[in-house]
Amino acid sequence: MKICNICNRISATDQDHLDCVQRRRVELEDEDLKKKIPEKLDIAKNPQDLGVEVRAILEHLSKEKEPS
């Protein structure tokens, strides 16, 4: 038995939990996507061209996730 390096709970195997590994991979991919959103949509050039709803969604997606 081993302690999972990601969630710090006991793992029955000698490895990290598979769901913890997958969740961490998705979080890292999300961080990369957040960095690329403004570049893909050219928000820096014409932010006023987007609708209010779209801007709100993009701002929400680009915010830092609070640690739980």
Side-chain angles (χ1 to χ4, degrees), residues 40-54:
K40 288 182 179 180
L41 297 175
D42 294 328
I43 293 174
K45 294 180 182 175
N46 296 316
Q48 302 304 324
D49 290 346
L50 298 173
V52 175
E53 297 86 4
V54 175

Side-chain angles (χ1 to χ4, degrees), residues 6-58:
I6 300 169
C7 70
N8 296 324
R9 294 183 184 164
I10 295 175
S11 174
T13 64
D14 288 335
Q15 298 175 350
D16 296 333
H17 298 118
L18 290 177
D19 58 327
C20 293
V21 172
Q22 291 297 324
R23 184 175 60 236
R24 183 67 185 142
R25 182 186 57 80
V26 169
E27 288 173 354
L28 291 174
E29 287 176 0
D30 286 347
E31 290 296 321
D32 187 45
L33 178 65
K34 287 178 189 177
K35 292 176 184 175
K36 292 180 181 178
I37 285 176
E39 296 169 5
K40 288 182 179 180
L41 297 175
D42 294 328
I43 293 174
K45 294 180 182 175
N46 296 316
Q48 302 304 324
D49 290 346
L50 298 173
V52 175
E53 297 86 4
V54 175
R55 278 188 274 157
I57 291 170
L58 292 174

